Amino acid sequence: VPLKGWTRRCTVSCAALDAMMPAWIVLSAVPGLKAEGDGMEELATEKEAEESHRQDSVNLLTFILLLTLTILTIWLFKHRRVRFLHETGLAMIYGLLVGVILRYGIPATSYHNKTPPSCSLKEGPVSTLLLNVSGKFYEYTLKGEINSREIHNVEQNDMLRKVTFDPEVFFNILLPPIIFHAGYSLKKRHFFRNLGSIITYAFLGTAISCFVIGNLMYGVVKLMQVAGQLTDKFYYTDCLFFGAIISATDPVTVLAIFNELHADGDLYALLFGESVMNDAVAIVLSSSIVAYQPSGANTHMFDASAFFKSVGIFLGIFSGSFVMGAATGVVTFTKLHCFPLLETALFFLMSWSTFLLAEACGFTGVVAVLFCGITQAHYTYNNLSEESTKRTKQLFEVLHFLAENFIFSYMGLALFTFQNHIFSPLFIFGAFIAIFIGRAFNIYPLSFLLNLGRRHKIKGNFQHMMMFAGLRGAMAFALAIRDTATYARQMMFTTTLLIVFFTVWVFGGGTTPMLSWLHISCSCFLSTFLLCCRVGVDPDQDQQPCGDNFQSKTKQESAWLFRLWYTFDHNYLKPILTHSGPPLTSTLPSCCGPLANCLTSPQAYENQEQLRDHDCDLMRNDGDMTFTFGDTAITANGAVNGKKQGSTSEEALEHDLDSREQELLSHGTRLVFPIEDHI
Amino acid sequence: VPLKGWTRRCTVSCAALDAMMPAWIVLSAVPGLKAEGDGMEELATEKEAEESHRQDSVNLLTFILLLTLTILTIWLFKHRRVRFLHETGLAMIYGLLVGVILRYGIPATSYHNKTPPSCSLKEGPVSTLLLNVSGKFYEYTLKGEINSREIHNVEQNDMLRKVTFDPEVFFNILLPPIIFHAGYSLKKRHFFRNLGSIITYAFLGTAISCFVIGNLMYGVVKLMQVAGQLTDKFYYTDCLFFGAIISATDPVTVLAIFNELHADGDLYALLFGESVMNDAVAIVLSSSIVAYQPSGANTHMFDASAFFKSVGIFLGIFSGSFVMGAATGVVTFTKLHCFPLLETALFFLMSWSTFLLAEACGFTGVVAVLFCGITQAHYTYNNLSEESTKRTKQLFEVLHFLAENFIFSYMGLALFTFQNHIFSPLFIFGAFIAIFIGRAFNIYPLSFLLNLGRRHKIKGNFQHMMMFAGLRGAMAFALAIRDTATYARQMMFTTTLLIVFFTVWVFGGGTTPMLSWLHISCSCFLSTFLLCCRVGVDPDQDQQPCGDNFQSKTKQESAWLFRLWYTFDHNYLKPILTHSGPPLTSTLPSCCGPLANCLTSPQAYENQEQLRDHDCDLMRNDGDMTFTFGDTAITANGAVNGKKQGSTSEEALEHDLDSREQELLSHGTRLVFPIEDHI
């Protein structure tokens, strides 16, 4: 073939597609080969490349249209106030439908239906291979091992292979914005008030759940072995790994309904905080278990030294990622008030660089991004201009929304398009039982222990609700799809997929009846007024601790450790790291006067004046991003349904809010009319 | 090597990096190979993979920190009101510095310094190759041809190769948001008033420029051949291709300064419109020239039939992309007013699907995205909720900002890290001369012709300014880097890079002196008050044509063709496609009453009332996104400096605006104080 120049212009948009789905694009990125002499053959290659590229665009377009359809249906549901099916459940259903069509509807007319040529080497697989074709060298990169079964798949199911993503896309493109958004929107009083319980559930609870599920599944596997249903190896560490990936809860559906119904703030904080934290725990736990595996000759049995090594790795990775995320979060306070665009861009870049920095240091990027988000919400957020707080929230909200719906659509699709499913009824049944038992061992004993120390007890109906809200979602899926090479992992993947479907549809859909059955009160009256125009509003807006009023509340509600931390944070960290809070000159002892003067910004003095003048009101209003009345409503609701033990200051607050609520109702009626016009 | 399972968990974030830089990641994505038995060797592979992944993270981190540094310096410059160096020029300087460090500062300690093994095949290169290592099959994908020189480069300059992107990244990830943003922010009266002139400059002017430069460069190449400085082939079509890629102007620096100084609105519209449109023209022109090449035996000589075929391809691709973009732009009008998040997500997805749809149909995605942006700004924008108009603007603004600065940083970097530069002084000198002559042949004769028909003549000093503002930027670079395989293309790439540097630094920096030298007036007085807090504001906000007032203006200013189009658009298209504009019932003849009733939304009637009540005021205020006073100021400026020939309605407007300006000054002084506090 007389080819002179190799053009880099492979096909017009393969790189854009690459960005989304490296695995299946690289496969088909047959590069355009530029003509120098004549060449029928090379024209054919060009044509094939063009055709392949067109096919890729069509495939990606399918996903986009799937998302578009989901959004339109979500809108319809929100509009008609349908609550039994959440957007993520919907995305999965559409994904399933498209998966069925791709699998059974489209004839296997693949343009790439010849078995690729092979060549032999004696050495092991290398990352880069040179191919010598009549004196010209071509560079090839390793994609992976394929077994003989899959060589035929290359022929037959090119289309299905094409809609299969590289699993790393989930971990490195789709999860970080979701996790960051979760951390960034975590700023609220209820969260910090329940921090101890949340950490207990997330760390201890997830570890318990992991081991309970792991051991139960090991029993199931032994049973399968006896029943002769196991056709390949399934080790104890595999069971533990399954326990780790399936312990990451994701009650996004439940929380969306909590938002709409304005269910109890503490319960919301417990569930949300737990699900955010245990994602991080599950990642680190699963990689520790993987690291535990190849530690000796008898790899898959219990080994104390290897176990402690794993625990060490767990603690090392976790604390490293935590410190890294928190440090970057603290560093990124900006003084670019005047330029919201620059601020937003800088904020985005710093969050991303946290991810990369953690990866570069060998820690877990996703965990670092989570703590970066939490820290930024706590400190950096106060330094941003009002405009930038809106922009950053909205930017990450859109990214989060798209990524989440994409993952759930893809889950639906994967049930039919994934090539190596292993459906084992016994394993699946066992797993369903195991996750319930694991969840129960997490919630009930820990709640009992926590209640010994808590002033506000976690009541029985709250515990049942937490038990019920143990849905599995994006993180479990991402961890399961990350490695589907062995028999055990393929079975886990299939089972995880089914668990996600079941929990999201059944538990997600059953949230509203369950709430009323458990007598967990909601301010449904208010919520009907706010149902429209609520998607953009985050009801967990920061009801920021403000001034002395807050400190008195903290004293009552929190343990001494957190009281200590709060005082330190409020008096020293916030003034140094942000422009909010009291000036250091008033919180530091007088002997440190010069130092305090030096560290305090002029704005802090201004803030102090404002703090004295307006106290809470000022702070409460700065959090809302979308609709002013939205914030008022939520605050109102917090007071109406919060079941707080009224102190004097709280009663005053409540009174204030009641009057706001009245005000809101007049807003509310005005709000409803344009909706009716739409219908 | 006893490898059992091939894990998909290659290295933790390679896919995320893949998204950014497919070229150099795929190279180093040595997959982790999971242990099943023992294996020192495979542990070494795992370690190498981890090391490689860490290195990748560090490289990407370098780019992120580069951008962060650029943003911080931009902030400093804005703060100190430095105008001689624009952010893009700055990004290039930082890129250059990092390039120098990478090239000369870091010792070539590559972890991947063994020459890859090679194997032989008799057939031509295939996209997928199977490698048989002792019975196991591994899949490899084609990356490209490398010549013998580059095989050594694989050994030596792994680090430099790593920071070299796949050129398609520019075309498919970085350009679309930039181009879409340009189209989306194009909505303004000045643009549509000058539409005829803009189209003339963009289409006819770019074609003239392309042919003038192409022919001049052919002369230069012949000269080089005589002088013996040409070491490889350089065809006439290559020269034409160079003419096409270098004809895409990008006066982003100039326009930023125009914004700050509030230079003449018509001049701004002419420059901005031309640069946006000629990007599209240059893309299509260059691909038509490439398509023209392999059309016969005597490929590189003039061939009339091939020429007309190219023209046909040009028209086909262009009109196809145009229709596709415009159609999607019109389709995406939404009724999701209540849910800004859904609206924004849908808007984003629809814009992206336009790109994919065009690619899937064989048209040019970037061109389709441009027209999609323009149409969406004209129609869809009016249907979005107020919240969503802000969100979409801000989302694309951030994407545009990051992408643009990234491209310019990378340009600086590429000067030192790109491996195949060919510096030919004669060619470079010739190119500099040619682009000036080409630009002159574009601007002066066309301005003369346009002035014959224009009511507002394009004055001499405006023509000189347009001549001066012919900077080259992102598009020229992206087109040049797309194909750097042959000798000719490598020389073009080097030359293009130097032309971009020179024009951005020298012409960009010289804009302010040039404006005053040419006596083009600016409202610098006003601008000092608005210098801070202006980055986020787009001064070209839609001063939307409103009601009868606008129509009278249009009649005076535009040719009959555009008058006709405007009337049609205003009376029929806008009412059908958006909720703004007069209801159809009042614009259609009475015989079409039932049809009109059917097509008119209830909101249109409301709008009509509002239109009558507030006339222009209402419309003018709905455009601004960031600061209310920003909009006022810009509107004020438009009237003060617009050099319009006052009709009665315009004088009234001007009076109105003068009073606003007074108001603004009081705002302005209030505004300045907090800035001083910052310093």
Side-chain angles (χ1 to χ4, degrees):
Chain A
V1 192
L3 296 167
K4 176 68 189 300
W6 150 261
T7 69
R8 302 234 166 191
R9 186 189 153 265
C10 57
T11 51
V12 183
S13 88
C14 63
L17 301 165
D18 237 358
M20 287 304 298
M21 27 190 85
W24 57 266
I25 292 302
V26 172
L27 171 78
S28 59
V30 184
L33 299 160
K34 210 191 78 188
E36 270 295 310
D38 60 317
M40 275 288 95
E41 193 174 320
E42 146 248 317
L43 260 178
T45 317
E46 179 92 29
K47 209 160 242 174
E48 190 187 303
E50 210 165 281
E51 183 54 44
S52 151
H53 164 62
R54 200 166 294 182
Q55 187 62 42
D56 293 342
S57 297
V58 171
N59 289 342
L60 198 49
L61 203 57
T62 312
F63 279 101
I64 304 282
L65 293 181
L66 201 59
L67 278 182
T68 309
L69 198 65
T70 310
I71 290 176
L72 288 176
T73 322
I74 292 168
W75 166 73
L76 199 71
F77 277 22
K78 299 241 179 218
H79 196 66
R80 304 240 176 251
R81 294 168 200 182
V82 174
R83 277 200 206 106
F84 66 87
L85 188 58
H86 185 249
E87 57 202 57
T88 50
L90 194 71
M92 286 201 300
I93 291 177
Y94 281 128
L96 273 179
L97 291 178
V98 174
V100 170
I101 294 170
L102 286 181
R103 179 86 185 219
Y104 303 109
I106 294 174
T109 51
S110 164
Y111 55 85
H112 182 263
N113 47 7
K114 51 184 185 242
T115 315
S118 70
C119 78
S120 297
L121 266 190
K122 274 172 193 164
E123 284 172 56
V126 287
S127 58
T128 305
L129 183 74
L130 295 181
L131 178 69
N132 185 346
V133 181
S134 47
K136 293 204 178 304
F137 283 93
Y138 296 90
E139 193 180 347
Y140 282 79
T141 43
L142 180 60
K143 251 199 78 191
E145 187 185 341
I146 47 175
N147 52 36
S148 44
R149 183 166 49 138
E150 280 179 54
I151 291 176
H152 297 293
N153 278 347
V154 174
E155 285 176 80
Q156 290 170 350
N157 287 315
D158 208 42
M159 179 73 192
L160 293 185
R161 273 179 70 113
K162 271 183 161 303
V163 290
T164 305
F165 277 56
D166 186 330
E168 292 303 307
V169 171
F170 294 103
F171 246 81
N172 299 301
I173 298 179
L174 297 174
L175 276 187
I178 295 180
I179 300 286
F180 182 85
H181 181 76
Y184 196 53
S185 58
L186 205 62
K187 186 192 190 181
K188 51 190 172 190
R189 202 160 52 86
H190 284 293
F191 172 75
F192 281 103
R193 208 162 64 174
N194 294 297
L195 192 60
S197 309
I198 289 169
I199 288 178
T200 311
Y201 286 123
F203 283 76
L204 205 55
T206 307
I208 291 173
S209 167
C210 168
F211 280 97
V212 168
I213 294 175
N215 285 306
L216 286 174
M217 291 320 290
Y218 194 57
V220 171
V221 166
K222 284 282 168 214
L223 196 70
M224 286 168 72
Q225 214 164 14
V226 170
Q229 286 190 12
L230 210 62
T231 58
D232 208 337
K233 286 167 196 163
F234 207 120
Y235 296 106
Y236 180 64
T237 44
D238 288 329
C239 294
L240 278 185
F241 183 80
F242 182 70
I245 65 174
I246 209 71
S247 292
T249 63
D250 182 10
V252 55
T253 319
V254 176
L255 295 179
I257 291 165
F258 273 37
N259 267 355
E260 268 181 23
L261 301 181
H262 298 294
D264 187 84
D266 280 320
L267 183 57
Y268 184 94
L270 283 174
L271 276 173
F272 186 68
E274 187 210 346
S275 72
V276 166
M277 292 287 206
N278 75 9
D279 282 356
V281 176
I283 293 179
V284 184
L285 207 55
S286 58
S287 26
S288 309
I289 292 169
V290 170
Y292 170 82
Q293 276 182 339
S295 66
N298 57 342
T299 43
H300 297 286
M301 298 308 292
F302 187 78
D303 173 359
S305 72
F307 174 76
F308 285 112
K309 195 183 145 204
S310 282
V311 171
I313 289 172
F314 176 88
L315 292 178
I317 292 182
F318 203 94
S319 55
S321 308
F322 171 78
V323 167
M324 191 145 287
T328 328
V330 168
V331 163
T332 62
F333 63 99
T334 58
K335 289 195 172 186
L336 296 87
H337 282 261
C338 279
F339 308 102
L341 176 63
L342 297 186
E343 265 186 325
T344 312
L346 196 64
F347 193 85
F348 177 78
L349 289 178
M350 291 304 281
S351 316
W352 197 20
S353 66
T354 306
F355 179 86
L356 291 172
L357 197 64
E359 293 288 330
C361 298
F363 298 119
T364 309
V366 174
V367 177
V369 153
L370 169 65
F371 290 106
C372 175
I374 294 176
T375 328
Q376 283 188 323
H378 198 60
Y379 297 113
T380 317
Y381 195 81
N382 294 315
N383 290 324
L384 294 176
S385 65
E386 205 186 330
E387 176 67 21
S388 293
T389 55
K390 281 186 205 172
R391 282 181 175 224
T392 51
K393 277 262 177 198
Q394 288 172 356
L395 178 69
F396 283 106
E397 203 182 2
V398 169
L399 292 179
H400 152 89
F401 178 81
L402 290 175
E404 193 174 77
N405 280 295
F406 191 90
I407 288 193
F408 279 88
S409 298
Y410 185 76
M411 273 191 230
L413 200 75
L415 190 65
F416 285 96
T417 58
F418 184 70
Q419 305 270 312
N420 303 312
H421 276 303
I422 297 177
F423 288 95
S424 161
L426 201 58
F427 190 84
I428 291 165
F429 183 73
F432 268 92
I433 304 291
I435 63 164
F436 292 118
I437 297 175
R439 183 88 187 148
F441 270 90
N442 173 355
I443 298 298
Y444 294 116
L446 288 183
S447 301
F448 175 76
L449 288 175
L450 285 171
N451 276 342
L452 296 180
R454 275 178 72 101
R455 197 176 292 264
H456 299 103
K457 308 295 180 201
I458 301 169
K459 286 176 293 181
N461 58 352
F462 278 25
Q463 294 178 25
H464 300 321
M465 196 62 221
M466 287 182 75
M467 176 75 201
F468 185 80
L471 314 193
R472 268 66 175 178
M475 183 55 79
F477 173 76
L479 283 168
I481 205 176
R482 202 170 188 180
D483 178 358
T484 53
T486 64
Y487 172 81
R489 295 290 164 90
Q490 286 167 4
M491 195 186 278
M492 284 181 210
F493 176 66
T494 309
T495 309
T496 306
L497 214 51
L498 292 176
I499 288 174
V500 172
F501 288 157
F502 182 81
T503 54
V504 168
W505 285 332
V506 175
F507 292 178
T511 306
T512 320
M514 198 67 180
L515 277 175
S516 60
W517 191 67
L518 290 172
H519 303 294
I520 296 172
S521 62
C522 311
S523 61
C524 301
F525 172 67
L526 263 177
S527 73
T528 49
F529 286 102
L530 290 163
L531 197 65
C532 182
C533 302
R534 277 286 318 288
V535 186
V537 187
D538 185 359
D540 316 303
Q541 276 312 317
D542 58 326
Q543 294 156 21
Q544 209 178 16
C546 36
D548 309 317
N549 183 9
F550 165 71
Q551 286 187 346
S552 67
K553 263 188 271 176
T554 315
K555 255 173 217 154
Q556 296 177 334
E557 291 163 3
S558 303
W560 64 271
L561 185 68
F562 292 103
R563 217 157 60 218
L564 204 73
W565 156 251
Y566 259 125
T567 315
F568 180 71
D569 180 50
H570 178 258
N571 287 349
Y572 306 110
L573 284 184
K574 281 220 168 181
I576 293 173
L577 297 171
T578 75
H579 301 309
S580 65
L584 277 177
T585 39
S586 68
T587 56
L588 277 178
S590 56
C591 60
C592 309
L595 181 71
N597 268 325
C598 170
L599 285 170
T600 306
S601 67
Q603 275 162 291
Y605 293 106
E606 278 177 48
N607 285 348
Q608 193 188 22
E609 295 307 309
Q610 289 174 332
L611 276 174
R612 284 203 186 126
D613 290 351
H614 307 280
D615 199 27
C616 270
D617 269 3
L618 184 85
M619 303 297 243
R620 197 179 300 130
N621 286 330
D622 82 359
D624 191 345
M625 344 168 358
T626 326
F627 302 94
T628 10
F629 60 82
D631 191 16
T632 320
I634 288 139
T635 320
N637 163 57
V640 175
N641 310 288
K643 294 178 196 302
K644 295 184 202 101
Q645 292 160 356
S647 69
T648 337
S649 62
E650 281 206 323
E651 268 164 24
L653 193 70
E654 224 164 295
H655 178 74
D656 176 39
L657 294 171
D658 276 342
S659 63
R660 273 170 188 245
E661 197 179 349
Q662 293 304 321
E663 207 181 300
L664 173 78
L665 291 182
S666 57
H667 279 292
T669 40
R670 264 211 290 159
L671 190 71
V672 169
F673 286 129
I675 308 170
E676 300 305 315
D677 277 350
H678 277 272
I679 303 163
Chain B
V1 191
L3 296 167
K4 175 68 190 299
W6 150 262
T7 68
R8 302 234 167 191
R9 185 186 154 267
C10 57
T11 50
V12 183
S13 86
C14 63
L17 301 167
D18 238 355
M20 287 305 297
M21 29 190 83
W24 57 269
I25 291 302
V26 171
L27 171 78
S28 59
V30 183
L33 298 161
K34 210 192 79 188
E36 271 293 311
D38 60 319
M40 275 290 93
E41 192 174 320
E42 147 248 317
L43 260 179
T45 316
E46 179 92 29
K47 208 160 245 176
E48 190 186 303
E50 209 165 281
E51 183 53 43
S52 150
H53 164 63
R54 200 166 293 182
Q55 187 62 44
D56 293 342
S57 297
V58 171
N59 288 343
L60 198 49
L61 203 57
T62 311
F63 278 102
I64 303 284
L65 294 181
L66 201 58
L67 277 182
T68 309
L69 198 65
T70 309
I71 290 176
L72 289 176
T73 323
I74 292 168
W75 166 73
L76 198 72
F77 277 23
K78 299 242 180 218
H79 196 66
R80 304 241 176 250
R81 293 168 201 183
V82 173
R83 275 201 206 107
F84 64 88
L85 188 58
H86 185 249
E87 57 203 57
T88 50
L90 195 71
M92 286 200 300
I93 291 176
Y94 281 129
L96 273 179
L97 291 180
V98 174
V100 169
I101 293 169
L102 286 181
R103 180 87 185 217
Y104 304 108
I106 294 174
T109 51
S110 163
Y111 55 85
H112 183 264
N113 48 7
K114 51 183 186 243
T115 316
S118 70
C119 78
S120 296
L121 266 190
K122 275 173 193 163
E123 285 172 57
V126 287
S127 58
T128 306
L129 182 74
L130 296 181
L131 179 68
N132 185 347
V133 181
S134 47
K136 296 205 177 301
F137 283 93
Y138 297 90
E139 194 180 345
Y140 281 79
T141 42
L142 180 59
K143 251 199 78 191
E145 188 186 342
I146 46 175
N147 52 38
S148 45
R149 179 166 53 136
E150 281 179 52
I151 291 176
H152 297 293
N153 278 348
V154 173
E155 285 176 79
Q156 290 171 350
N157 287 315
D158 208 42
M159 178 73 192
L160 293 184
R161 272 178 70 113
K162 271 183 161 303
V163 291
T164 305
F165 277 56
D166 187 329
E168 292 303 305
V169 171
F170 294 103
F171 248 82
N172 300 302
I173 297 180
L174 298 173
L175 276 186
I178 294 180
I179 299 287
F180 182 85
H181 181 75
Y184 196 53
S185 58
L186 205 62
K187 186 191 189 184
K188 52 190 171 189
R189 200 161 52 88
H190 284 293
F191 172 75
F192 281 103
R193 206 163 64 173
N194 293 298
L195 192 60
S197 309
I198 289 168
I199 287 177
T200 311
Y201 286 123
F203 283 75
L204 205 54
T206 308
I208 291 173
S209 167
C210 168
F211 280 97
V212 167
I213 295 174
N215 286 305
L216 286 175
M217 289 321 290
Y218 195 58
V220 171
V221 166
K222 284 281 167 214
L223 196 69
M224 286 167 73
Q225 215 164 14
V226 170
Q229 287 191 9
L230 210 63
T231 59
D232 208 336
K233 287 166 194 163
F234 207 121
Y235 295 107
Y236 179 63
T237 44
D238 288 329
C239 295
L240 278 185
F241 183 81
F242 182 70
I245 64 174
I246 210 71
S247 292
T249 62
D250 181 12
V252 55
T253 319
V254 175
L255 295 179
I257 290 165
F258 273 37
N259 267 354
E260 268 180 23
L261 301 181
H262 299 293
D264 188 85
D266 279 319
L267 183 56
Y268 184 95
L270 283 174
L271 276 173
F272 186 68
E274 187 211 346
S275 73
V276 166
M277 291 288 206
N278 75 9
D279 281 356
V281 175
I283 292 180
V284 183
L285 207 56
S286 58
S287 29
S288 309
I289 290 169
V290 170
Y292 169 82
Q293 275 183 340
S295 66
N298 57 342
T299 42
H300 297 284
M301 297 309 293
F302 188 79
D303 173 357
S305 73
F307 174 76
F308 284 113
K309 195 182 145 205
S310 283
V311 172
I313 289 172
F314 176 89
L315 292 178
I317 291 181
F318 203 94
S319 54
S321 308
F322 172 78
V323 168
M324 191 144 289
T328 327
V330 168
V331 163
T332 62
F333 62 100
T334 60
K335 289 196 172 186
L336 295 87
H337 282 261
C338 280
F339 308 101
L341 176 62
L342 297 186
E343 264 186 325
T344 312
L346 196 65
F347 193 85
F348 177 77
L349 289 178
M350 292 303 283
S351 315
W352 196 20
S353 66
T354 306
F355 178 86
L356 291 172
L357 197 65
E359 293 289 330
C361 297
F363 298 120
T364 309
V366 174
V367 177
V369 154
L370 169 65
F371 290 106
C372 174
I374 295 176
T375 329
Q376 283 187 324
H378 199 59
Y379 297 113
T380 317
Y381 194 80
N382 294 315
N383 291 325
L384 293 176
S385 64
E386 204 186 331
E387 176 67 21
S388 294
T389 54
K390 280 187 207 172
R391 283 180 175 225
T392 51
K393 277 261 176 196
Q394 288 172 356
L395 178 69
F396 283 106
E397 202 183 2
V398 169
L399 292 179
H400 151 89
F401 178 81
L402 289 175
E404 193 174 76
N405 280 295
F406 192 90
I407 288 192
F408 278 88
S409 298
Y410 185 75
M411 273 191 231
L413 200 74
L415 189 64
F416 285 95
T417 59
F418 184 70
Q419 303 272 312
N420 303 312
H421 277 303
I422 297 177
F423 289 95
S424 162
L426 201 58
F427 190 83
I428 292 165
F429 183 73
F432 269 92
I433 305 290
I435 62 164
F436 292 117
I437 297 175
R439 183 87 188 150
F441 271 92
N442 173 356
I443 298 298
Y444 295 115
L446 289 183
S447 301
F448 176 77
L449 288 175
L450 285 170
N451 277 342
L452 295 179
R454 276 177 73 100
R455 199 176 292 263
H456 299 103
K457 308 295 180 201
I458 301 168
K459 284 175 295 181
N461 57 352
F462 279 25
Q463 294 179 25
H464 299 320
M465 195 63 222
M466 288 183 75
M467 176 74 201
F468 185 80
L471 314 194
R472 269 65 173 178
M475 182 56 79
F477 173 76
L479 283 168
I481 204 175
R482 201 169 189 179
D483 178 358
T484 54
T486 63
Y487 172 80
R489 294 290 164 91
Q490 286 166 5
M491 196 187 278
M492 283 181 208
F493 176 68
T494 308
T495 310
T496 306
L497 214 51
L498 291 176
I499 288 175
V500 173
F501 288 157
F502 183 81
T503 54
V504 168
W505 286 331
V506 175
F507 292 179
T511 306
T512 320
M514 198 66 180
L515 277 175
S516 61
W517 192 67
L518 289 172
H519 302 295
I520 295 171
S521 61
C522 310
S523 59
C524 301
F525 172 68
L526 264 176
S527 71
T528 50
F529 287 101
L530 289 163
L531 197 63
C532 183
C533 303
R534 277 288 318 289
V535 185
V537 188
D538 185 359
D540 316 303
Q541 278 310 317
D542 58 325
Q543 294 157 20
Q544 211 179 15
C546 37
D548 310 316
N549 183 9
F550 167 71
Q551 286 188 346
S552 67
K553 265 188 270 175
T554 316
K555 253 172 216 154
Q556 297 176 332
E557 292 163 2
S558 303
W560 64 271
L561 185 68
F562 292 102
R563 219 156 60 217
L564 205 72
W565 156 251
Y566 259 123
T567 315
F568 180 71
D569 180 51
H570 179 258
N571 288 348
Y572 307 111
L573 284 183
K574 280 222 167 181
I576 293 173
L577 297 172
T578 74
H579 302 309
S580 67
L584 276 177
T585 38
S586 68
T587 56
L588 277 178
S590 55
C591 61
C592 308
L595 181 72
N597 269 325
C598 170
L599 284 171
T600 305
S601 68
Q603 274 163 292
Y605 292 108
E606 279 177 46
N607 285 349
Q608 193 187 21
E609 295 307 311
Q610 288 175 332
L611 275 173
R612 280 195 190 132
D613 291 351
H614 308 279
D615 200 25
C616 270
D617 269 4
L618 183 86
M619 302 298 243
R620 197 178 302 131
N621 285 330
D622 82 359
D624 191 345
M625 342 169 359
T626 324
F627 301 93
T628 10
F629 60 81
D631 190 16
T632 320
I634 289 140
T635 321
N637 162 57
V640 175
N641 310 289
K643 293 180 197 302
K644 296 181 200 105
Q645 292 160 355
S647 69
T648 336
S649 62
E650 281 205 323
E651 269 164 24
L653 192 72
E654 225 162 294
H655 178 75
D656 177 40
L657 293 171
D658 275 342
S659 64
R660 273 170 186 247
E661 196 180 347
Q662 293 304 320
E663 207 182 299
L664 173 78
L665 291 183
S666 58
H667 280 290
T669 41
R670 266 210 291 157
L671 190 71
V672 168
F673 286 129
I675 308 170
E676 299 305 316
D677 277 349
H678 278 271
I679 304 163

